mmCIF file of all heavy atoms in Angstrom:
data_model
loop_
_atom_site.group_PDB
_atom_site.id
_atom_site.type_symbol
_atom_site.label_atom_id
_atom_site.label_comp_id
_atom_site.label_asym_id
_atom_site.label_seq_id
_atom_site.Cartn_x
_atom_site.Cartn_y
_atom_site.Cartn_z
ATOM 1 N N TRP A 178 11.779 16.771 6.096
ATOM 2 C CA TRP A 178 10.640 16.875 7.018
ATOM 3 C C TRP A 178 10.667 15.771 8.080
ATOM 4 O O TRP A 178 9.909 15.808 9.036
ATOM 5 C CB TRP A 178 9.315 16.759 6.231
ATOM 6 C CG TRP A 178 9.228 15.470 5.476
ATOM 7 C CD1 TRP A 178 8.754 14.275 5.932
ATOM 8 C CD2 TRP A 178 9.673 15.237 4.144
ATOM 9 N NE1 TRP A 178 8.885 13.311 4.972
ATOM 10 C CE2 TRP A 178 9.440 13.876 3.866
ATOM 11 C CE3 TRP A 178 10.241 16.048 3.161
ATOM 12 C CZ2 TRP A 178 9.764 13.304 2.625
ATOM 13 C CZ3 TRP A 178 10.555 15.471 1.932
ATOM 14 C CH2 TRP A 178 10.313 14.122 1.673
ATOM 15 N N GLN A 179 11.561 14.820 7.911
ATOM 16 C CA GLN A 179 11.537 13.648 8.797
ATOM 17 C C GLN A 179 12.229 13.957 10.122
ATOM 18 O O GLN A 179 13.278 14.614 10.145
ATOM 19 C CB GLN A 179 12.252 12.476 8.119
ATOM 20 C CG GLN A 179 11.895 11.119 8.689
ATOM 21 C CD GLN A 179 10.441 10.773 8.438
ATOM 22 O OE1 GLN A 179 9.814 10.194 9.298
ATOM 23 N NE2 GLN A 179 9.906 11.171 7.307
ATOM 24 N N ILE A 180 11.657 13.479 11.220
ATOM 25 C CA ILE A 180 12.338 13.575 12.515
ATOM 26 C C ILE A 180 13.533 12.620 12.402
ATOM 27 O O ILE A 180 13.363 11.424 12.233
ATOM 28 C CB ILE A 180 11.411 13.118 13.659
ATOM 29 C CG1 ILE A 180 10.132 13.952 13.702
ATOM 30 C CG2 ILE A 180 12.150 13.164 14.997
ATOM 31 C CD1 ILE A 180 9.053 13.413 14.649
ATOM 32 N N GLY A 181 14.740 13.168 12.446
ATOM 33 C CA GLY A 181 15.915 12.299 12.333
ATOM 34 C C GLY A 181 16.294 11.988 10.897
ATOM 35 O O GLY A 181 16.653 10.846 10.579
ATOM 36 N N GLU A 182 16.222 13.014 10.026
ATOM 37 C CA GLU A 182 16.682 12.842 8.628
ATOM 38 C C GLU A 182 18.136 12.347 8.621
ATOM 39 O O GLU A 182 18.929 12.714 9.494
ATOM 40 C CB GLU A 182 16.605 14.211 7.930
ATOM 41 C CG GLU A 182 17.110 14.202 6.514
ATOM 42 C CD GLU A 182 17.296 15.627 5.953
ATOM 43 O OE1 GLU A 182 17.047 16.608 6.684
ATOM 44 O OE2 GLU A 182 17.700 15.724 4.789
ATOM 45 N N LYS A 183 18.455 11.534 7.619
ATOM 46 C CA LYS A 183 19.821 10.989 7.560
ATOM 47 C C LYS A 183 20.358 11.039 6.142
ATOM 48 O O LYS A 183 19.585 11.095 5.177
ATOM 49 C CB LYS A 183 19.806 9.531 8.028
ATOM 50 C CG LYS A 183 19.437 9.407 9.497
ATOM 51 C CD LYS A 183 19.517 8.026 10.033
ATOM 52 C CE LYS A 183 19.365 8.027 11.547
ATOM 53 N NZ LYS A 183 18.301 8.878 12.078
ATOM 54 N N THR A 184 21.679 10.972 6.042
ATOM 55 C CA THR A 184 22.255 10.767 4.712
ATOM 56 C C THR A 184 22.083 9.280 4.389
ATOM 57 O O THR A 184 21.833 8.455 5.273
ATOM 58 C CB THR A 184 23.758 11.091 4.696
ATOM 59 O OG1 THR A 184 24.424 10.149 5.553
ATOM 60 C CG2 THR A 184 24.041 12.516 5.156
ATOM 61 N N ALA A 185 22.266 8.940 3.116
ATOM 62 C CA ALA A 185 22.104 7.535 2.720
ATOM 63 C C ALA A 185 23.097 6.649 3.460
ATOM 64 O O ALA A 185 22.762 5.538 3.885
ATOM 65 C CB ALA A 185 22.281 7.407 1.211
ATOM 66 N N TYR A 186 24.311 7.159 3.642
ATOM 67 C CA TYR A 186 25.321 6.360 4.345
ATOM 68 C C TYR A 186 24.918 6.140 5.808
ATOM 69 O O TYR A 186 24.947 5.021 6.324
ATOM 70 C CB TYR A 186 26.696 7.047 4.259
ATOM 71 C CG TYR A 186 27.754 6.290 5.032
ATOM 72 C CD1 TYR A 186 28.311 5.122 4.511
ATOM 73 C CD2 TYR A 186 28.167 6.727 6.299
ATOM 74 C CE1 TYR A 186 29.265 4.402 5.235
ATOM 75 C CE2 TYR A 186 29.112 6.013 7.027
ATOM 76 C CZ TYR A 186 29.660 4.861 6.491
ATOM 77 O OH TYR A 186 30.583 4.142 7.204
ATOM 78 N N GLU A 187 24.500 7.250 6.461
ATOM 79 C CA GLU A 187 24.087 7.123 7.872
ATOM 80 C C GLU A 187 22.930 6.137 8.006
ATOM 81 O O GLU A 187 22.923 5.275 8.878
ATOM 82 C CB GLU A 187 23.622 8.486 8.420
ATOM 83 C CG GLU A 187 24.734 9.479 8.662
ATOM 84 C CD GLU A 187 24.199 10.906 8.877
ATOM 85 O OE1 GLU A 187 23.028 11.215 8.548
ATOM 86 O OE2 GLU A 187 24.985 11.716 9.369
ATOM 87 N N TYR A 188 21.951 6.286 7.100
ATOM 88 C CA TYR A 188 20.781 5.400 7.200
ATOM 89 C C TYR A 188 21.162 3.953 6.873
ATOM 90 O O TYR A 188 20.745 3.015 7.567
ATOM 91 C CB TYR A 188 19.627 5.878 6.297
ATOM 92 C CG TYR A 188 18.530 4.836 6.288
ATOM 93 C CD1 TYR A 188 17.745 4.625 7.424
ATOM 94 C CD2 TYR A 188 18.342 4.004 5.182
ATOM 95 C CE1 TYR A 188 16.796 3.621 7.458
ATOM 96 C CE2 TYR A 188 17.396 2.995 5.210
ATOM 97 C CZ TYR A 188 16.622 2.799 6.350
ATOM 98 O OH TYR A 188 15.704 1.783 6.384
ATOM 99 N N GLY A 189 21.970 3.771 5.838
ATOM 100 C CA GLY A 189 22.379 2.411 5.453
ATOM 101 C C GLY A 189 23.083 1.707 6.603
ATOM 102 O O GLY A 189 22.851 0.521 6.870
ATOM 103 N N ARG A 190 23.908 2.453 7.339
ATOM 104 C CA ARG A 190 24.642 1.869 8.470
ATOM 105 C C ARG A 190 23.678 1.485 9.599
ATOM 106 O O ARG A 190 23.745 0.388 10.144
ATOM 107 C CB ARG A 190 25.677 2.878 9.017
ATOM 108 C CG ARG A 190 26.901 3.075 8.152
ATOM 109 C CD ARG A 190 27.839 1.866 8.186
ATOM 110 N NE ARG A 190 28.206 1.534 9.543
ATOM 111 C CZ ARG A 190 28.183 0.296 10.060
ATOM 112 N NH1 ARG A 190 27.816 -0.722 9.316
ATOM 113 N NH2 ARG A 190 28.515 0.077 11.317
ATOM 114 N N ILE A 191 22.764 2.404 9.925
ATOM 115 C CA ILE A 191 21.865 2.109 11.053
ATOM 116 C C ILE A 191 20.900 0.982 10.661
ATOM 117 O O ILE A 191 20.560 0.118 11.487
ATOM 118 C CB ILE A 191 21.140 3.387 11.568
ATOM 119 C CG1 ILE A 191 20.556 3.136 12.948
ATOM 120 C CG2 ILE A 191 20.087 3.868 10.635
ATOM 121 C CD1 ILE A 191 19.977 4.376 13.595
ATOM 122 N N ALA A 192 20.506 0.950 9.405
ATOM 123 C CA ALA A 192 19.605 -0.126 8.945
ATOM 124 C C ALA A 192 20.315 -1.469 9.071
ATOM 125 O O ALA A 192 19.732 -2.465 9.513
ATOM 126 C CB ALA A 192 19.166 0.132 7.502
ATOM 127 N N LYS A 193 21.595 -1.487 8.705
ATOM 128 C CA LYS A 193 22.357 -2.739 8.787
ATOM 129 C C LYS A 193 22.463 -3.238 10.238
ATOM 130 O O LYS A 193 22.173 -4.401 10.544
ATOM 131 C CB LYS A 193 23.762 -2.526 8.218
ATOM 132 C CG LYS A 193 24.646 -3.742 8.353
ATOM 133 C CD LYS A 193 26.020 -3.497 7.779
ATOM 134 C CE LYS A 193 26.857 -4.757 7.898
ATOM 135 N NZ LYS A 193 28.130 -4.614 7.192
ATOM 136 N N GLU A 194 22.855 -2.350 11.135
ATOM 137 C CA GLU A 194 23.049 -2.766 12.530
ATOM 138 C C GLU A 194 21.721 -3.155 13.178
ATOM 139 O O GLU A 194 21.652 -4.098 13.965
ATOM 140 C CB GLU A 194 23.748 -1.650 13.323
ATOM 141 C CG GLU A 194 25.193 -1.423 12.899
ATOM 142 C CD GLU A 194 26.036 -2.712 12.904
ATOM 143 O OE1 GLU A 194 25.981 -3.465 13.888
ATOM 144 O OE2 GLU A 194 26.733 -2.962 11.904
ATOM 145 N N THR A 195 20.660 -2.422 12.816
ATOM 146 C CA THR A 195 19.338 -2.735 13.375
ATOM 147 C C THR A 195 18.881 -4.098 12.866
ATOM 148 O O THR A 195 18.388 -4.937 13.636
ATOM 149 C CB THR A 195 18.333 -1.627 12.977
ATOM 150 O OG1 THR A 195 18.853 -0.375 13.413
ATOM 151 C CG2 THR A 195 16.972 -1.853 13.602
ATOM 152 N N ALA A 196 19.052 -4.324 11.575
ATOM 153 C CA ALA A 196 18.624 -5.596 10.981
ATOM 154 C C ALA A 196 19.361 -6.768 11.632
ATOM 155 O O ALA A 196 18.751 -7.791 11.956
ATOM 156 C CB ALA A 196 18.882 -5.567 9.473
ATOM 157 N N LYS A 197 20.663 -6.608 11.855
ATOM 158 C CA LYS A 197 21.448 -7.696 12.464
ATOM 159 C C LYS A 197 20.866 -8.090 13.820
ATOM 160 O O LYS A 197 20.618 -9.265 14.094
ATOM 161 C CB LYS A 197 22.899 -7.216 12.691
ATOM 162 C CG LYS A 197 23.817 -7.470 11.508
ATOM 163 C CD LYS A 197 25.128 -6.724 11.591
ATOM 164 C CE LYS A 197 25.841 -6.789 12.919
ATOM 165 N NZ LYS A 197 27.063 -5.950 12.920
ATOM 166 N N LEU A 198 20.613 -7.062 14.643
ATOM 167 C CA LEU A 198 20.131 -7.349 15.999
ATOM 168 C C LEU A 198 18.723 -7.940 15.984
ATOM 169 O O LEU A 198 18.421 -8.860 16.740
ATOM 170 C CB LEU A 198 20.168 -6.070 16.847
ATOM 171 C CG LEU A 198 21.449 -5.841 17.640
ATOM 172 C CD1 LEU A 198 22.681 -5.801 16.743
ATOM 173 C CD2 LEU A 198 21.374 -4.552 18.439
ATOM 174 N N MET A 199 17.863 -7.391 15.118
ATOM 175 C CA MET A 199 16.483 -7.887 15.067
ATOM 176 C C MET A 199 16.475 -9.364 14.647
ATOM 177 O O MET A 199 15.757 -10.178 15.199
ATOM 178 C CB MET A 199 15.654 -7.047 14.093
ATOM 179 C CG MET A 199 15.400 -5.632 14.592
ATOM 180 S SD MET A 199 14.643 -4.581 13.331
ATOM 181 C CE MET A 199 12.937 -5.130 13.370
ATOM 182 N N ARG A 200 17.311 -9.692 13.686
ATOM 183 C CA ARG A 200 17.386 -11.089 13.208
ATOM 184 C C ARG A 200 18.011 -12.018 14.238
ATOM 185 O O ARG A 200 17.686 -13.198 14.300
ATOM 186 C CB ARG A 200 18.212 -11.142 11.937
ATOM 187 C CG ARG A 200 17.403 -11.552 10.745
ATOM 188 C CD ARG A 200 18.313 -11.802 9.568
ATOM 189 N NE ARG A 200 18.065 -10.872 8.483
ATOM 190 C CZ ARG A 200 16.981 -10.906 7.729
ATOM 191 N NH1 ARG A 200 16.038 -11.788 7.936
ATOM 192 N NH2 ARG A 200 16.831 -10.039 6.742
ATOM 193 N N TRP A 201 18.935 -11.470 15.040
ATOM 194 C CA TRP A 201 19.535 -12.316 16.078
ATOM 195 C C TRP A 201 18.487 -12.638 17.160
ATOM 196 O O TRP A 201 18.509 -13.710 17.745
ATOM 197 C CB TRP A 201 20.776 -11.632 16.685
ATOM 198 C CG TRP A 201 21.962 -11.657 15.747
ATOM 199 C CD1 TRP A 201 22.110 -12.458 14.659
ATOM 200 C CD2 TRP A 201 23.141 -10.837 15.816
ATOM 201 N NE1 TRP A 201 23.317 -12.201 14.036
ATOM 202 C CE2 TRP A 201 23.981 -11.205 14.731
ATOM 203 C CE3 TRP A 201 23.591 -9.831 16.670
ATOM 204 C CZ2 TRP A 201 25.223 -10.622 14.485
ATOM 205 C CZ3 TRP A 201 24.834 -9.248 16.430
ATOM 206 C CH2 TRP A 201 25.637 -9.642 15.347
ATOM 207 N N VAL A 202 17.576 -11.702 17.407
ATOM 208 C CA VAL A 202 16.502 -11.991 18.368
ATOM 209 C C VAL A 202 15.539 -13.012 17.765
ATOM 210 O O VAL A 202 15.132 -13.965 18.420
ATOM 211 C CB VAL A 202 15.728 -10.702 18.753
ATOM 212 C CG1 VAL A 202 14.546 -11.042 19.662
ATOM 213 C CG2 VAL A 202 16.646 -9.696 19.408
ATOM 214 N N ASP A 203 15.167 -12.805 16.496
ATOM 215 C CA ASP A 203 14.223 -13.724 15.844
ATOM 216 C C ASP A 203 14.647 -13.921 14.386
ATOM 217 O O ASP A 203 14.407 -13.060 13.542
ATOM 218 C CB ASP A 203 12.801 -13.146 15.911
ATOM 219 C CG ASP A 203 11.788 -14.068 15.243
ATOM 220 O OD1 ASP A 203 12.201 -15.095 14.654
ATOM 221 O OD2 ASP A 203 10.584 -13.763 15.304
ATOM 222 N N PRO A 204 15.252 -15.068 14.069
ATOM 223 C CA PRO A 204 15.754 -15.296 12.709
ATOM 224 C C PRO A 204 14.659 -15.358 11.648
ATOM 225 O O PRO A 204 14.960 -15.317 10.453
ATOM 226 C CB PRO A 204 16.460 -16.660 12.807
ATOM 227 C CG PRO A 204 16.507 -17.020 14.238
ATOM 228 C CD PRO A 204 15.518 -16.186 14.976
ATOM 229 N N LYS A 205 13.390 -15.462 12.089
ATOM 230 C CA LYS A 205 12.318 -15.583 11.083
ATOM 231 C C LYS A 205 11.827 -14.236 10.556
ATOM 232 O O LYS A 205 10.987 -14.189 9.656
ATOM 233 C CB LYS A 205 11.135 -16.337 11.687
ATOM 234 C CG LYS A 205 11.445 -17.801 12.013
ATOM 235 C CD LYS A 205 10.142 -18.595 11.985
ATOM 236 C CE LYS A 205 10.192 -19.798 12.900
ATOM 237 N NZ LYS A 205 9.991 -19.469 14.326
ATOM 238 N N VAL A 206 12.331 -13.116 11.093
ATOM 239 C CA VAL A 206 11.792 -11.827 10.641
ATOM 240 C C VAL A 206 12.200 -11.524 9.202
ATOM 241 O O VAL A 206 13.263 -11.956 8.745
ATOM 242 C CB VAL A 206 12.218 -10.642 11.560
ATOM 243 C CG1 VAL A 206 11.633 -10.817 12.952
ATOM 244 C CG2 VAL A 206 13.728 -10.481 11.609
ATOM 245 N N GLU A 207 11.328 -10.790 8.494
ATOM 246 C CA GLU A 207 11.646 -10.285 7.152
ATOM 247 C C GLU A 207 11.729 -8.767 7.271
ATOM 248 O O GLU A 207 10.844 -8.150 7.877
ATOM 249 C CB GLU A 207 10.545 -10.652 6.166
ATOM 250 C CG GLU A 207 10.414 -12.141 5.909
ATOM 251 C CD GLU A 207 9.241 -12.407 4.983
ATOM 252 O OE1 GLU A 207 9.381 -12.262 3.764
ATOM 253 O OE2 GLU A 207 8.168 -12.737 5.510
ATOM 254 N N LEU A 208 12.760 -8.179 6.663
ATOM 255 C CA LEU A 208 13.050 -6.773 6.936
ATOM 256 C C LEU A 208 13.074 -5.926 5.669
ATOM 257 O O LEU A 208 13.616 -6.337 4.633
ATOM 258 C CB LEU A 208 14.402 -6.670 7.653
ATOM 259 C CG LEU A 208 14.499 -7.490 8.947
ATOM 260 C CD1 LEU A 208 15.912 -7.482 9.485
ATOM 261 C CD2 LEU A 208 13.526 -6.949 9.994
ATOM 262 N N SER A 209 12.498 -4.738 5.809
ATOM 263 C CA SER A 209 12.416 -3.832 4.668
ATOM 264 C C SER A 209 13.143 -2.522 4.981
ATOM 265 O O SER A 209 12.852 -1.874 5.994
ATOM 266 C CB SER A 209 10.930 -3.557 4.382
ATOM 267 O OG SER A 209 10.802 -2.644 3.337
ATOM 268 N N ALA A 210 14.075 -2.129 4.116
ATOM 269 C CA ALA A 210 14.804 -0.867 4.300
ATOM 270 C C ALA A 210 14.097 0.248 3.528
ATOM 271 O O ALA A 210 13.362 -0.007 2.580
ATOM 272 C CB ALA A 210 16.237 -1.024 3.799
ATOM 273 N N CYS A 211 14.372 1.497 3.933
ATOM 274 C CA CYS A 211 13.726 2.654 3.287
ATOM 275 C C CYS A 211 14.412 3.028 1.988
ATOM 276 O O CYS A 211 15.608 3.343 1.989
ATOM 277 C CB CYS A 211 13.867 3.895 4.160
ATOM 278 S SG CYS A 211 12.873 3.888 5.597
ATOM 279 N N GLY A 212 13.630 3.086 0.929
ATOM 280 C CA GLY A 212 14.096 3.727 -0.291
ATOM 281 C C GLY A 212 13.772 5.213 -0.211
ATOM 282 O O GLY A 212 13.491 5.752 0.865
ATOM 283 N N SER A 213 13.779 5.892 -1.347
ATOM 284 C CA SER A 213 13.479 7.333 -1.380
ATOM 285 C C SER A 213 12.020 7.588 -1.033
ATOM 286 O O SER A 213 11.163 6.728 -1.228
ATOM 287 C CB SER A 213 13.726 7.882 -2.782
ATOM 288 O OG SER A 213 15.064 7.720 -3.146
ATOM 289 N N SER A 214 11.734 8.828 -0.606
ATOM 290 C CA SER A 214 10.347 9.209 -0.315
ATOM 291 C C SER A 214 9.539 9.436 -1.579
ATOM 292 O O SER A 214 8.327 9.652 -1.486
ATOM 293 C CB SER A 214 10.286 10.509 0.461
ATOM 294 O OG SER A 214 11.313 10.617 1.318
ATOM 295 N N GLY A 215 10.197 9.457 -2.712
ATOM 296 C CA GLY A 215 9.474 9.638 -3.969
ATOM 297 C C GLY A 215 10.479 9.783 -5.099
ATOM 298 O O GLY A 215 11.659 10.084 -4.858
ATOM 299 N N ARG A 216 10.004 9.586 -6.321
ATOM 300 C CA ARG A 216 10.904 9.668 -7.479
ATOM 301 C C ARG A 216 11.381 11.096 -7.716
ATOM 302 O O ARG A 216 12.388 11.336 -8.379
ATOM 303 C CB ARG A 216 10.149 9.143 -8.706
ATOM 304 C CG ARG A 216 11.027 8.878 -9.899
ATOM 305 C CD ARG A 216 10.247 8.148 -10.974
ATOM 306 N NE ARG A 216 11.081 7.936 -12.146
ATOM 307 C CZ ARG A 216 11.196 8.817 -13.126
ATOM 308 N NH1 ARG A 216 10.526 9.957 -13.085
ATOM 309 N NH2 ARG A 216 11.973 8.565 -14.161
ATOM 310 N N GLU A 217 10.624 12.081 -7.144
ATOM 311 C CA GLU A 217 10.975 13.485 -7.339
ATOM 312 C C GLU A 217 12.116 13.935 -6.420
ATOM 313 O O GLU A 217 12.630 15.043 -6.568
ATOM 314 C CB GLU A 217 9.735 14.379 -7.133
ATOM 315 C CG GLU A 217 9.131 14.395 -5.731
ATOM 316 C CD GLU A 217 8.361 13.127 -5.344
ATOM 317 O OE1 GLU A 217 8.193 12.234 -6.201
ATOM 318 O OE2 GLU A 217 7.944 13.019 -4.171
ATOM 319 N N MET A 218 12.523 13.102 -5.484
ATOM 320 C CA MET A 218 13.611 13.488 -4.569
ATOM 321 C C MET A 218 14.908 13.618 -5.363
ATOM 322 O O MET A 218 15.218 12.764 -6.207
ATOM 323 C CB MET A 218 13.795 12.425 -3.476
ATOM 324 C CG MET A 218 12.633 12.301 -2.526
ATOM 325 S SD MET A 218 12.272 13.807 -1.616
ATOM 326 C CE MET A 218 13.619 13.831 -0.436
ATOM 327 N N PRO A 219 15.711 14.667 -5.080
ATOM 328 C CA PRO A 219 16.949 14.845 -5.851
ATOM 329 C C PRO A 219 17.918 13.674 -5.690
ATOM 330 O O PRO A 219 18.748 13.426 -6.558
ATOM 331 C CB PRO A 219 17.550 16.141 -5.289
ATOM 332 C CG PRO A 219 16.781 16.451 -4.052
ATOM 333 C CD PRO A 219 15.468 15.744 -4.120
ATOM 334 N N THR A 220 17.797 12.947 -4.588
ATOM 335 C CA THR A 220 18.735 11.830 -4.340
ATOM 336 C C THR A 220 18.172 10.481 -4.789
ATOM 337 O O THR A 220 18.783 9.439 -4.518
ATOM 338 C CB THR A 220 19.077 11.761 -2.834
ATOM 339 O OG1 THR A 220 17.847 11.827 -2.101
ATOM 340 C CG2 THR A 220 19.991 12.880 -2.407
ATOM 341 N N PHE A 221 16.994 10.498 -5.465
ATOM 342 C CA PHE A 221 16.364 9.239 -5.918
ATOM 343 C C PHE A 221 17.377 8.381 -6.675
ATOM 344 O O PHE A 221 18.143 8.884 -7.485
ATOM 345 C CB PHE A 221 15.171 9.576 -6.822
ATOM 346 C CG PHE A 221 14.493 8.364 -7.421
ATOM 347 C CD1 PHE A 221 13.621 7.590 -6.666
ATOM 348 C CD2 PHE A 221 14.725 8.010 -8.753
ATOM 349 C CE1 PHE A 221 12.991 6.475 -7.218
ATOM 350 C CE2 PHE A 221 14.101 6.896 -9.309
ATOM 351 C CZ PHE A 221 13.238 6.134 -8.539
ATOM 352 N N ALA A 222 17.370 7.110 -6.430
ATOM 353 C CA ALA A 222 18.225 6.090 -7.062
ATOM 354 C C ALA A 222 19.636 6.070 -6.457
ATOM 355 O O ALA A 222 20.140 5.002 -6.135
ATOM 356 C CB ALA A 222 18.278 6.213 -8.578
ATOM 357 N N GLY A 223 20.245 7.263 -6.282
ATOM 358 C CA GLY A 223 21.548 7.313 -5.609
ATOM 359 C C GLY A 223 21.381 6.885 -4.143
ATOM 360 O O GLY A 223 22.204 6.150 -3.588
ATOM 361 N N TRP A 224 20.307 7.364 -3.531
ATOM 362 C CA TRP A 224 19.996 6.983 -2.138
ATOM 363 C C TRP A 224 19.887 5.452 -2.022
ATOM 364 O O TRP A 224 20.516 4.829 -1.170
ATOM 365 C CB TRP A 224 18.681 7.654 -1.711
ATOM 366 C CG TRP A 224 18.091 7.108 -0.449
ATOM 367 C CD1 TRP A 224 17.270 6.014 -0.332
ATOM 368 C CD2 TRP A 224 18.284 7.588 0.890
ATOM 369 N NE1 TRP A 224 16.938 5.790 0.983
ATOM 370 C CE2 TRP A 224 17.545 6.743 1.755
ATOM 371 C CE3 TRP A 224 19.002 8.655 1.437
ATOM 372 C CZ2 TRP A 224 17.505 6.930 3.132
ATOM 373 C CZ3 TRP A 224 18.957 8.844 2.823
ATOM 374 C CH2 TRP A 224 18.222 8.004 3.657
ATOM 375 N N GLU A 225 19.113 4.854 -2.908
ATOM 376 C CA GLU A 225 18.896 3.408 -2.854
ATOM 377 C C GLU A 225 20.218 2.663 -3.013
ATOM 378 O O GLU A 225 20.477 1.668 -2.328
ATOM 379 C CB GLU A 225 17.927 2.973 -3.965
ATOM 380 C CG GLU A 225 16.452 3.228 -3.690
ATOM 381 C CD GLU A 225 16.005 4.666 -3.909
ATOM 382 O OE1 GLU A 225 16.853 5.554 -4.182
ATOM 383 O OE2 GLU A 225 14.786 4.919 -3.800
ATOM 384 N N TYR A 226 21.069 3.166 -3.937
ATOM 385 C CA TYR A 226 22.341 2.482 -4.195
ATOM 386 C C TYR A 226 23.200 2.489 -2.928
ATOM 387 O O TYR A 226 23.717 1.453 -2.498
ATOM 388 C CB TYR A 226 23.088 3.161 -5.356
ATOM 389 C CG TYR A 226 24.258 2.325 -5.820
ATOM 390 C CD1 TYR A 226 24.124 1.449 -6.896
ATOM 391 C CD2 TYR A 226 25.483 2.367 -5.149
ATOM 392 C CE1 TYR A 226 25.178 0.644 -7.303
ATOM 393 C CE2 TYR A 226 26.542 1.567 -5.548
ATOM 394 C CZ TYR A 226 26.387 0.713 -6.624
ATOM 395 O OH TYR A 226 27.417 -0.098 -7.019
ATOM 396 N N GLU A 227 23.311 3.662 -2.336
ATOM 397 C CA GLU A 227 24.205 3.772 -1.181
ATOM 398 C C GLU A 227 23.654 3.029 0.043
ATOM 399 O O GLU A 227 24.400 2.374 0.776
ATOM 400 C CB GLU A 227 24.465 5.240 -0.846
ATOM 401 C CG GLU A 227 25.665 5.378 0.058
ATOM 402 C CD GLU A 227 26.210 6.799 0.141
ATOM 403 O OE1 GLU A 227 25.751 7.671 -0.622
ATOM 404 O OE2 GLU A 227 27.101 7.014 0.980
ATOM 405 N N VAL A 228 22.330 3.113 0.234
ATOM 406 C CA VAL A 228 21.726 2.392 1.367
ATOM 407 C C VAL A 228 21.973 0.894 1.220
ATOM 408 O O VAL A 228 22.452 0.214 2.137
ATOM 409 C CB VAL A 228 20.204 2.699 1.449
ATOM 410 C CG1 VAL A 228 19.487 1.711 2.361
ATOM 411 C CG2 VAL A 228 19.968 4.130 1.924
ATOM 412 N N LEU A 229 21.678 0.369 0.030
ATOM 413 C CA LEU A 229 21.840 -1.080 -0.162
ATOM 414 C C LEU A 229 23.301 -1.498 -0.120
ATOM 415 O O LEU A 229 23.622 -2.622 0.267
ATOM 416 C CB LEU A 229 21.206 -1.514 -1.483
ATOM 417 C CG LEU A 229 19.682 -1.623 -1.475
ATOM 418 C CD1 LEU A 229 19.186 -2.085 -2.834
ATOM 419 C CD2 LEU A 229 19.175 -2.570 -0.385
ATOM 420 N N ASP A 230 24.167 -0.597 -0.550
ATOM 421 C CA ASP A 230 25.598 -0.901 -0.494
ATOM 422 C C ASP A 230 26.003 -1.228 0.952
ATOM 423 O O ASP A 230 26.884 -2.038 1.201
ATOM 424 C CB ASP A 230 26.383 0.312 -1.019
ATOM 425 C CG ASP A 230 27.718 -0.096 -1.624
ATOM 426 O OD1 ASP A 230 27.906 -1.298 -1.925
ATOM 427 O OD2 ASP A 230 28.576 0.795 -1.781
#
Side-chain angles (χ1 to χ4, degrees):
W178 58 88
Q179 200 66 218
I180 302 170
E182 177 192 1
K183 294 185 170 44
T184 65
Y186 177 77
E187 287 166 344
Y188 172 71
R190 286 288 305 133
I191 196 173
K193 176 180 182 172
E194 292 307 313
T195 304
K197 271 166 47 184
L198 268 58
M199 291 171 77
R200 245 189 244 289
W201 286 343
V202 175
D203 180 355
K205 294 206 208 79
V206 296
E207 294 177 81
L208 304 172
S209 177
C211 288
S213 299
S214 325
R216 193 170 178 272
E217 64 287 355
M218 294 300 286
T220 48
F221 176 78
W224 167 275
E225 281 79 354
Y226 191 95
E227 196 165 352
V228 165
L229 283 181
D230 208 17

